[in-house]
C-alpha cells in the first residue's frame, strides 16, 4: 500500500507538549523554596526580609538569563538552548540541598534564576518557528499551562516529599527530574520544521506557508540587532506591558505560601492542601486565552484585533478579582479569588507573549522575548521589596497596588505597541 506524503503529522504539538513538561519541572523546582520556607527559615535562622532578598537575587539573575538565553537561542537554536538551560537549572536546584546560610542560598538561587530563564524565550522562539499565527496563542497557552500545572503539582508534591525526605532530600530528588526530560527532548527535537524528518509535507506547508504568515511580495528577512529592536515602538509596547503586568503573577508565585502562612497561620501541610487551587484558574486561562484568540483569527479577525481584545478581556477579569482578594476573610474565599486573578492573568499574558512572533522574524523572536522578560523582572523586583514593607498588618495594600498595574499594562498595549503585524524593515512608521 502506498503511503501518501501529504498525510498530516502533528510534530509541532509534540514539541510544544515537551516544552510544557519542561515548564512543569521548572515550576516544581522554583516553587520548592517557597513551599518549604517555614521550616527552612527556622533551620537557617532567616526572616521575611531574607526571603525577599533571595527572591530578588533569583529575579536579578532571571532577568540576566532572559537576555542571555534570548540571544543564545537565536544563535545556537532551540534544541541545544533548551538542553543547556534545563541541565544547568537541574544541577542548581539539587545544590540547594547542601546550603546552610542565606549566602549559600543566594548563590544557588542565582544559578537557578539565570538557567530557568531560558525556558521562556526558548518557548516563544519555538512557538514562532513551529506554528502559524492562528495557532500560536493556543500553543503559547499549552506552554503556559505547563507553568500552571507545575504550580498545581508543586505545593502538594513538595509538601509530601518534605514530610518523607525533609527539605534537603526533596531538593536532591527534584533535581534529577530535569535530566530524565533531556532524553526524549534530544531524540524528538532533531531539527526545525523545515528539515525535521518526522514532519510531513502537509504539516510543513501549514507551518511554513500559512497564508497569514506570508507577505504578498517576497522580501528579505529582517533580522535587527538589539539596538534596532529598541528602535521600534512595538518592542517598547511589549516591554512596558510586561513591566506592569508580570509582577502580578510573580507576587503569587513567590509569596502565596508565605501569604497563607502569615494570614491564616498555615503550616507546610496546610499550604500543600490550599496553595495549588489558584493555579487551576491559571491553567484554564492559559488554554482558554490561546484558544479564543485563535478562534477569532480563524473567524476572520485580524491578528492585531484578536490579540488586543483577548488581552483586554484578561485584564477585565484580573483587576476586580484582586479587589476581591483584598476582602477575603477565610482561606477558601482567598484562594478562589486568587484563582480568578491568575485566570485573567494567563488569558492576557499568553497573548502578549505571542507578540514577538507576530511582529518580528524567527531569528529575532528570542531576543525580543528575552528583553520582555527583563522588563517583567524589573517590575517584579519593585513589588518584591514592597511586600515586606506593605504587609505588616495585612496583604490588602499590595493587592490594591498590583490591581492598579492592570490598566497601566493595557494602556501600553493599546497606545504604545501600535498595530500588531509583521515588520519587514528597519523603518516602520505607524
Amino acid at each position: 500500500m502506498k503511503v501518501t506524503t501529504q498525510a498530516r503529522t502533528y510534530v509541532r504539538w509534540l514539541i510544544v507538549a515537551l516544552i510544557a513538561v519542561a515548564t512543569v519541572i521548572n515550576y516544581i523546582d522554583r516553587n520548592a523554596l517557597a513551599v518549604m520556607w517555614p521550616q527552612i527559615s527556622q533551620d537557617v535562622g532567616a526572616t521575611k526580609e531574607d526571603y525577599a532578598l533571595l527572591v530578588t537575587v533569583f529575579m536579578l539573575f532571571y532577568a540576566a538569563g532572559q537576555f542571555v538565553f534570548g540571544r543564545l537561542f537565536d544563535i545556537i537554536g532551540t534544541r541545544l538552548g533548551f538542553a543547556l538551560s534545563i541541565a544547568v537549572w537541574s544541577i542548581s536546584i539539587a545544590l540547594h540541598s547542601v546550603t546552610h546560610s542565606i549566602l549559600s542560598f543566594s548563590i544557588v538561587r542565582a544559578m537557578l534564576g539565570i538557567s530557568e530563564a531560558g525556558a521562556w524565550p526558548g518557548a516563544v522562539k519555538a512557538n514562532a518557528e513551529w506554528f502559524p499565527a492562528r495557532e500560536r496563542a493556543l500553543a503559547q497557552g499549552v506552554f503556559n499551562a505547563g507553568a500552571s500545572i507545575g504550580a498545581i503539582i508543586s505545593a502538594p508534591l513538595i509538601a509530601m516529599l518534605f514530610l518523607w525526605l525533609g527539605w534537603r532530600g526533596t531538593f536532591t530528588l527534584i533535581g534529577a527530574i530535569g535530566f530524565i526530560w533531556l532524553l526524549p527532548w534530544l531524540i524528538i527535537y532533531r531539527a526545525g520544521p523545515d528539515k525535521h524528518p518526522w514532519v510531513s509535507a502537509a504539516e510543513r506547508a501549514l507551518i511554513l506557508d500559512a497564508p497569514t504568515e506570508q507577505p504578498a511580495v517576497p522580501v528579505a528577512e529582517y533580522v535587527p540587532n538589539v539596538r534596532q529592536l529598541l528602535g521600534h515602538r512595538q518592542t517598547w509596547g511589549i516591554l512596558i506591558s510586561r513591566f506592569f503586568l508580570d509582577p502580578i503573577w510573580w507576587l503569587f508565585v513567590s509569596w502565596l505560601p508565605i501569604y497563607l502562612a502569615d494570614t491564616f497561620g498555615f503550616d507546610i501541610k496546610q499550604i500543600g492542601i490550599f496553595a495549588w487551587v489558584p493555579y487551576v484558574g491559571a491553567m484554564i486561562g492559559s488554554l482558554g486565552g490561546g484558544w479564543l484568540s485563535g478562534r477569532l483569527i480563524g473567524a476572520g479577525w485580524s491578528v492585531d484585533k484578536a490579540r488586543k481584545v483577548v488581552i483586554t478581556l484578561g485584564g477585565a477579569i484580573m483587576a476586580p478579582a484582586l479587589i476581591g482578594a483584598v476582602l477575603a476573610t477565610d482561606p477558601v474565599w482567598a484562594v478562589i479569588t486568587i484563582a480568578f486573578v491568575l485566570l485573567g492573568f494567563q488569558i492576557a499574558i499568553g497573548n502578549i507573549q505571542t507578540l514577538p512572533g507576530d511582529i518580528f522574524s524567527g531569528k529575532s523572536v528570542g531576543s525580543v522575548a528575552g528583553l520582555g522578560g527583563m522588563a517583567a523582572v524589573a517590575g517584579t523586583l519593585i513589588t518584591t521589596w514592597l511586600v515586606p514593607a506593605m504587609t505588616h498588618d495585612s496583604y490588602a495594600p499590595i493587592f490594591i497596588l498590583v490591581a492598579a498595574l492592570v490598566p497601566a499594562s493595557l494602556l501600553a498595549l493599546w497606545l504604545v505597541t501600535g498595530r500588531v503585524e509583521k515588520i519587514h524593515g528597519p523603518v516602520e512608521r505607524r
Side-chain angles (χ1 to χ4, degrees), residues 107 156 215:
I107 293 170

Side-chain angles (χ1 to χ4, degrees), residues 310-350:
V310 174
I311 292 167
T312 303
L313 172 64
I317 296 171
M318 211 183 322
L322 278 163
I323 302 303
V326 172
L327 304 175
T329 57
D330 66 85
V332 174
W333 174 248
V335 296
I336 289 174
T337 55
I338 294 171
F340 277 96
V341 173
L342 300 188
L343 168 73
F345 177 86
Q346 287 295 343
I347 289 173
I349 198 65

Side-chain angles (χ1 to χ4, degrees), residues 149-429:
I149 293 170
I152 292 169
I153 292 173
S154 64
L157 175 64
I158 296 301
M160 179 185 69
L161 292 176
F162 169 81
L163 294 174
W164 176 37
L165 300 171
W167 61 269
R168 296 188 186 278
T170 300
F171 281 127
T172 301
L173 182 59
I174 62 177
I177 301 175
F179 290 101
I180 298 173
W181 177 89
L182 274 175
L183 182 60
W185 173 255
L186 293 174
I187 292 173
I188 293 171
Y189 200 117
R190 300 186 178 189
D194 55 334
K195 298 179 181 179
H196 199 292
W198 298 358
V199 175
S200 68
E203 184 177 21
R204 187 171 289 113
L206 172 69
I207 296 169
L208 302 178
D209 300 319
T212 55
E213 293 296 290
Q214 294 298 315
V217 179
V219 295
E221 184 176 12
Y222 175 50
V223 186
N225 57 33
V226 173
R227 182 184 62 81
Q228 291 170 325
L229 287 172
L230 294 175
H232 292 285
R233 62 180 291 184
Q234 292 88 343
T235 303
W236 283 104
I238 294 169
L239 267 58
I240 296 170
S241 184
R242 293 203 61 186
F243 173 85
F244 286 119
L245 199 65
D246 277 67
I248 298 171
W249 174 257
W250 284 99
L251 174 67
F252 294 105
V253 168
S254 299
W255 292 96
L256 179 60
I258 316 301
Y259 160 73
L260 292 173
D262 287 350
T263 305
F264 304 109
F266 279 10
D267 58 22
I268 293 177
K269 182 179 179 181
Q270 291 169 308
I271 290 171
I273 294 171
F274 278 82
W276 62 273
V277 175
Y279 297 100
V280 175
M283 180 178 64
I284 295 170
S286 298
L287 298 174
W291 171 84
L292 180 57
S293 66
R295 183 68 179 268
L296 294 175
I297 293 170
W301 289 36
S302 67
V303 173
D304 176 73
K305 183 179 179 181
R307 297 281 192 253
K308 288 178 178 176
V309 167
V310 174
I311 292 167
T312 303
L313 172 64
I317 296 171
M318 211 183 322
L322 278 163
I323 302 303
V326 172
L327 304 175
T329 57
D330 66 85
V332 174
W333 174 248
V335 296
I336 289 174
T337 55
I338 294 171
F340 277 96
V341 173
L342 300 188
L343 168 73
F345 177 86
Q346 287 295 343
I347 289 173
I349 198 65
N351 283 274
I352 292 173
Q353 288 172 333
T354 67
L355 297 181
D358 293 330
I359 295 170
F360 294 98
S361 73
K363 293 181 180 179
S364 304
V365 169
S367 298
V368 181
L371 290 170
M374 290 182 67
V377 171
T380 300
L381 285 173
I382 297 172
T383 57
T384 295
W385 278 102
L386 288 174
V387 171
M390 297 179 69
T391 58
H392 288 299
D393 298 320
S394 80
Y395 280 70
I398 196 70
F399 288 169
I400 293 171
L401 174 65
V402 296
L405 300 180
V406 176
S409 178
L410 294 178
L411 284 173
L413 171 75
W414 284 93
L415 300 181
V416 180
T417 304
R419 185 170 179 81
V420 176
E421 61 184 14
K422 280 292 183 192
I423 292 177
H424 297 295
V427 179
E428 290 287 327
R429 301 296 182 187

